[in-house]
Amino acid sequence: MSELSARLFHQTSVFRKLLHIARWVPFLIVAVALRNWPEFIEGPHLWSIFDFGYRGEFRLFLNIELTLSGLALLAVFVRWDASPKWCQLLRPQLPLSLTLVAATLVLVAVMTFVVNPEAIHSAFRPVNPVTHFPSWSISVLALLLGAFQQEIWNRAILQSTLTRMSGNRWIGLGFTVILLVMDQHGHRVETPCSAVLLGIVFMHTRSLLCTTAIRVALDLSLGILQGGTFMVASFLTPSEFMGTKALVVLSLLLLAVGVELRYRRSPRLLQLTQASAKSLALMFFAYVLFKLTGRLLAPAWRSVIDINEWMTRGLVTRMDLLIQAVVPVIALAALGKGPRLRELLAVRPKATFGLAVVAAAVPFLAASIAVPDAFRAGFFAPLSPFTTSPHFWLGAVLPLFVAALQEEVVHRALVQPLLSRLFRSEWVGVVTSALHFAAFHPLESAVFVIPGGLLFAVVFMRTRSIVCTTALHLTLNIALSLINSTKFTLALFIPSDVLAGAAPLIGALVLALAVAFEWWWRMAAEANARRLGSPPNERAATCGIAPTSA
C-alpha cells in the first residue's frame, strides 16, 4: 500500500510539473516568435517615413521598433508575472555596473596586448564627433538602443520566461544561451560567453540597465578593436583580431565566475576557485618563462651551433624547444609546484627496459598481423655501423633522441603536472596531456599518436621519470623508422601506403600496452603493500601450562 501511494504521489508531482510547464509554453512561443518580427513583416516600416541620407539609419530605426515592441511585450509579461517587476528591471545597480563595465574594458584591452603586443599597427584614431556629428550621433543611438532592445528580449523576456517555466534559474540560463547561439547566423565564438556573463548578472540583479551597460562596453571595445563606425581605420587586422578571441572569451567566462562567487557564499566553491586560479597563475608563469627563455637564451645558443650535415636546422629547433622547456621545469621543481628533479631523472630499470623491449616489437607484430604479405615479402637489411661514418649515425640517431626528449620534457614533465593540478585529477591530466601531445602531430597519424600519448602519460603518472618515458618514446620512434624508412636500412621494408593499413592495429597494441602497464603497476603496488604490511596476529602459545582450576 505504501509503494502504491508513493507511486501515485510521484505521478501527481510529475503531472503538476507538466501542467506548470504547459502554463508557460504560450509565453515562450510568443517571446521566440516576436523576437525578430521585423524580418517577417513586409511593407513600410518606421524608417521609410524618414530619410537622413545616412546608411546607419536603417539600424537605428530597426532598434527603435524592436525597443518599443519589446517594452510593450514586457509590460504584458510583467503584468502576468512572467518577468520581474519594473522596480527591479530599471534599478541601475551603479556600484556593480561600473565595476563590471571597467572590468570588461580592462580585460579586453589586457588580453589584446598580452596575446600579441606587436598587433597594434596604427594609432588610435576615432571618428571626430564635431566634423561627423550626424553619422556619429546616429551610430551612438543605434549602439545604445541595440544593446537595450537585446537585453529586453534576451534577458527580461526570454530568460525570465524560461526560468519560470523550468523552475530553475540555471536551466533557464542554459536554454537561453542555446537559443541565442542557434539564432546567431555568424556563429561568433563570443556569443555564448557574453550570454553566460550577462545571464548570470541578470540572474542576480534583475536589472536591465546593469546588463545593458555591460553589453555596451563589450560591443564598444570589440568594435574599436576590429573597426567600425567609430574608427577611422581598423585597430587590428582580421587575423590579429581572431588571434585575440580565445583569451577574450576566457576572460568573459572568468568574469562570469567572479560575479557568481560574489553572490554565492559557498566556502567549498570559493576554495575550488582559489585553487583553480592558483593553477592558472602557475600555468601562466610557466608559459611566460618558456617564452622568455626562448627570446633570451635560444638566439645566443643558436649562434654558437654550427649548421652542418648532421646538425640540421630541425635539430637546432628541437634543441631550442628543449632548452625553453627545461627552464620552467626546473623553476617549478624548485618552487615545489612540479615533479622533483630526482624523480624526473630516476632510471626505473624494470619499467624502462621492460617497456622498451615490448614497445620495440609492437610495429613488427602489428605489420605481421595486418599486412602479412608485405611483411613476408619485405627485405629487412639494417645498416652496419662499420660501413657508415660516425656523422651519419649522429645525423640519424641524434634527431630521434632529441625529439623524444624534447616532447617528453614539454608534454610530460611540464604540461601534464600543470593540467593534473588544474583539474585536480591525475587521470584527467593523462587524457588532456595526451590530446595536447596529439595536437602537435599530423592529423592522419592520430590513430596511433593518441594511444602513444596515453601510454607515455600513464607511464609518467606512475614512474614520474622522463628517463623511462624518453626511452620508451625513442624505442617506438626507432622501431617505426626501421619498418617504414631507409634511414637505418639498405632498402625499404614496408611502404608507407601499405603500413597505413596497420596503423589502427599499432594504436590498439600501444593502448593495450598502456592498460597492461597500469595493471602490472597496481599488482606490484599491492604485492609490495602486503609484503611491507604487519604480519597477522598469532594466538599466544600456552607453553604446555594447563589452566588452573578454581
Side-chain angles (χ1 to χ4, degrees), residues 32-56:
V32 174
L34 297 182
R35 184 169 172 267
N36 295 320
W37 65 267
E39 298 181 3
F40 306 103
I41 298 179
E42 298 180 356
H45 296 283
L46 177 63
W47 59 78
S48 63
I49 305 175
F50 305 95
D51 184 11
F52 292 120
Y54 174 62
R55 61 182 176 86

Side-chain angles (χ1 to χ4, degrees), residues 264-379:
R264 178 176 293 191
R265 306 297 182 182
S266 174
R268 185 174 179 273
L269 181 61
L270 184 60
Q271 292 174 0
L272 181 61
T273 306
Q274 289 176 349
S276 301
K278 290 179 180 179
S279 300
L280 289 174
L282 202 63
M283 296 177 69
F284 183 73
F285 166 75
Y287 176 78
V288 171
L289 197 58
F290 182 86
K291 290 294 185 181
L292 189 62
T293 305
R295 290 197 175 189
L296 295 180
L297 297 183
W301 177 84
R302 193 181 304 176
S303 63
V304 180
I305 297 300
D306 182 23
I307 304 297
N308 50 41
E309 61 180 356
W310 62 274
M311 183 65 76
T312 61
R313 293 192 179 275
L315 178 59
V316 172
T317 302
R318 289 280 190 175
M319 298 183 78
D320 287 345
L321 294 174
L322 178 60
I323 293 175
Q324 289 179 241
V326 164
V327 173
V329 167
I330 294 176
L332 293 176
L335 294 173
K337 303 299 182 180
R340 294 178 295 179
L341 297 181
R342 180 185 300 177
E343 292 178 333
L344 293 175
L345 300 178
V347 178
R348 307 284 186 185
K350 292 182 179 180
T352 302
F353 296 111
L355 286 171
V357 170
V358 177
V362 166
F364 296 94
L365 179 61
S368 64
I369 297 174
V371 285
D373 296 335
F375 184 79
R376 286 193 296 267
F379 179 68

Side-chain angles (χ1 to χ4, degrees), residues 290 318 320-326 328-329 403-419 433 436-437 440 466:
F290 182 86
R318 289 280 190 175
D320 287 345
L321 294 174
L322 178 60
I323 293 175
Q324 289 179 241
V326 164
V329 167
L405 180 60
Q406 176 260 320
E407 290 181 346
E408 292 308 307
V409 172
V410 171
H411 299 287
R412 250 62 65 184
L414 182 60
V415 173
Q416 184 174 340
L418 291 175
L419 291 175
S433 64
H436 183 266
F437 172 73
F440 288 85
I466 59 171

